[in-house]
Amino acid sequence: MKFTEKHQGVMNAFKGVLVVVVVVGILAALGLSRSNNLKVKVEDDLFTLSYGEDTVVQFYKDEILSAEVVTSFTMGEAVETISEDRYIAGTWENEEWGTYVLCIKENLDSYLVVTTEETVFVFNYESEKTTESLCSALLEW
């Protein structure tokens, strides 16, 4: 069967939603109980965000379309979310990005927005300075 561009677009959207569902499932299973063990690893061509030993977000260098630090954004509406301690994570939807994955520490005022071929990830890490350094590392990678 030959796919048209319309069918390919639907398949790409489906893959993006599938990635979001998997990430939210992992976050739900973890219950964000390991929020103090949030770890970021940039190695070779792979980026990984994890809690303890469990991978939460993972994408390859060549999947990144853009990365930027923002100081504000419209969160939109929660599709499926978890809040624990000072973290908010899950799947959200807004007008700017549509459905996206969120994992933020509430008391930080900077957010790293990474757009990949599959989805948009919005997160921060440890402090504003560390979040900005992480963004620089991704852009130089």
Side-chain angles (χ1 to χ4, degrees), residues 32-90:
L32 290 178
S33 61
R34 301 182 210 159
S35 61
N36 293 331
N37 294 323
L38 180 66
K39 294 180 182 145
V40 171
K41 187 176 186 181
V42 179
E43 183 176 70
D44 297 325
D45 63 345
L46 184 65
F47 173 89
T48 304
L49 173 67
S50 62
Y51 284 98
E53 299 299 317
D54 299 301
T55 298
V56 178
V57 174
Q58 194 169 54
F59 53 84
Y60 289 92
K61 174 183 175 176
D62 61 354
E63 294 176 325
I64 299 172
L65 301 177
S66 66
E68 66 177 327
V69 173
V70 298
T71 56
S72 67
F73 67 97
T74 302
M75 286 178 64
E77 295 190 29
V79 175
E80 191 169 341
T81 190
I82 300 166
S83 290
E84 184 178 296
D85 199 13
R86 298 172 314 270
Y87 285 86
I88 299 173

Side-chain angles (χ1 to χ4, degrees), residues 5-21:
E5 286 183 32
K6 181 179 179 182
H7 288 110
Q8 191 63 39
V10 170
M11 290 301 292
N12 287 340
F14 176 75
K15 286 193 288 188
V17 170
L18 183 60
V19 167
V20 169
V21 168

